[in-house]
Amino acid sequence: MNIEPGQQMASPLAEDEASRADRPPAGWRLWWLAIRPRTLTMAVAPVLAGTALGWAEAGHFDPRPFLAALGGALLIQAGTNLHNDVADALKGGDQPMRQGPPRVTALGWATPERVRAGALVCFGLACLFGLYLISLGGLPILALGLASLAGGWCYSGGPRPIAYGPYGELFVIAFFGLGAVGGSYYLQTHALSLSALVAGLAVGSVAAAVLMANNYRDMEADRLIGRRTLAIRAGVRTSQALYAVMVLAPFVLLVGPSGPAGGWLVLGAVPMAVGLIRRFATEARGPAFNIILGTTARLQLLIAGLLALGLIF
């Protein structure tokens, strides 16, 4: 091998590291990326809030439905993300202009059949958790479980995917707020209450803000492929206002007269919420919004955690 004067030979270690960096992820790293771990807190927060509220109002805590509901919710979220990954790739939704994290199907890191099979495995395992929860909660939990599985599949599938229209945020409030909080509460109390409804709306509102941040970031790319998300329909300024409303709504709901006792502790998350609203309104759309999206998901978990602390202690 001839080396020109001044040229340095690359070390084998450096070449190996560069080659490794160019390779797509494999094994568990591929699946971890595919299930979008930043969004998994959206499954944890409502189960935590609903269980804590049920514990506080019933005066006792049953860990069995809590753990089963948590496992089922995480699996439905992961399955929905996998199904969304493959469905968007096949529909042409994950174009090069997209600013979000990498999608394994669109990048060719996994075949559509493999990702679809992963989604089915997640949904199948969620059904096993669901069967156990049905044995504890009866027909209301059966109805909620079937609706959750159907909703997770229809979010990106079918002739009119929910993700491609302006109702995605309402879907999120319904399933990641009212349904998940109400179902977790019911499993502890075998009843429903106004406070559970209020907590569901509060937690679901921040989950909707996560989706708004996602769709606001991808407005141009989504418009090109025919999506008509709420962000596109509303436009830039109105989307910024809607995000602010979604992020601030939990404080009004949980501290107001209809909120649960102990809801005042969520006020500790106000500085984080205000900072997010400011960043959403001032930062340019693009990869920076991935941080805003992830931080919004953490805000939802923080609010649920503070609510749980206020209720229990």
Side-chain angles (χ1 to χ4, degrees):
M1 177 186 297
N2 295 325
I3 301 177
E4 299 296 330
Q7 181 180 357
Q8 295 182 352
M9 181 183 294
S11 70
L13 180 60
E15 289 180 353
D16 183 61
E17 288 178 351
S19 173
R20 221 178 304 162
D22 290 337
R23 289 186 214 140
W28 69 267
R29 291 181 180 85
L30 173 71
W31 292 108
W32 181 247
L33 182 66
I35 64 173
R36 305 176 207 170
R38 286 184 179 181
T39 67
L40 295 183
T41 57
M42 293 172 63
V44 176
V47 175
L48 177 62
T51 299
L53 182 60
W55 182 1
E57 295 191 357
H60 60 82
F61 168 61
D62 187 346
R64 298 172 304 162
F66 169 69
L67 293 173
L70 187 61
L74 285 167
L75 285 164
I76 289 174
Q77 175 69 28
T80 300
N81 287 344
L82 290 171
H83 179 57
N84 179 258
D85 190 292
V86 66
D88 274 1
L90 295 178
K91 291 176 183 292
D94 288 336
Q95 299 294 331
M97 279 185 64
R98 185 179 170 275
Q99 301 292 328
R103 298 286 181 85
V104 300
T105 310
L107 291 172
W109 293 349
T111 64
E113 293 76 19
R114 190 180 178 197
V115 179
R116 190 181 289 113
L120 289 172
V121 168
C122 288
F123 288 137
L125 291 173
C127 284
L128 296 180
F129 281 103
L131 290 173
Y132 175 68
L133 291 173
I134 291 167
S135 72
L136 297 176
L139 289 177
I141 299 302
L142 171 62
L144 179 60
L146 291 175
S148 298
L149 287 171
W153 195 258
C154 293
Y155 184 73
S156 294
R160 301 188 67 174
I162 298 168
Y164 282 56
Y167 303 114
E169 283 77 4
L170 289 178
F171 170 89
V172 166
I173 291 172
F175 283 96
F176 290 91
L178 295 171
V181 173
S184 301
Y185 175 88
Y186 183 86
L187 285 165
Q188 296 292 329
T189 64
H190 291 274
L192 288 176
S193 69
L194 177 61
S195 58
L197 175 64
V198 170
L201 286 172
V203 173
S205 177
V206 192
V210 175
L211 182 61
M212 173 58 77
N214 180 83
N215 291 341
Y216 181 82
R217 178 198 64 201
D218 293 336
M219 282 176 68
E220 284 77 13
D222 285 348
R223 189 180 285 112
L224 287 176
I225 61 169
R227 280 186 172 180
R228 291 296 178 263
T229 61
L230 180 60
I232 292 173
R233 292 282 187 92
V236 171
R237 294 298 181 193
T238 304
S239 293
Q240 292 171 356
L242 287 171
Y243 177 84
V245 170
M246 293 172 189
V247 165
L248 293 176
F251 306 109
V252 177
L253 290 166
L254 296 174
V255 182
S258 298
W264 60 269
L265 196 59
V266 302
L267 293 175
V270 167
M272 186 178 180
V274 171
L276 278 167
I277 292 169
R278 182 165 52 245
R279 292 183 64 186
F280 192 101
T282 57
E283 292 195 14
R285 292 192 303 278
F289 258 75
N290 295 331
I291 298 174
I292 294 175
L293 188 153
T295 308
T296 306
R298 288 194 293 275
L299 173 67
Q300 185 204 29
L301 185 60
L302 175 62
I303 288 173
L306 290 173
L307 175 61
L309 287 174
L311 287 166
I312 296 170
F313 299 106

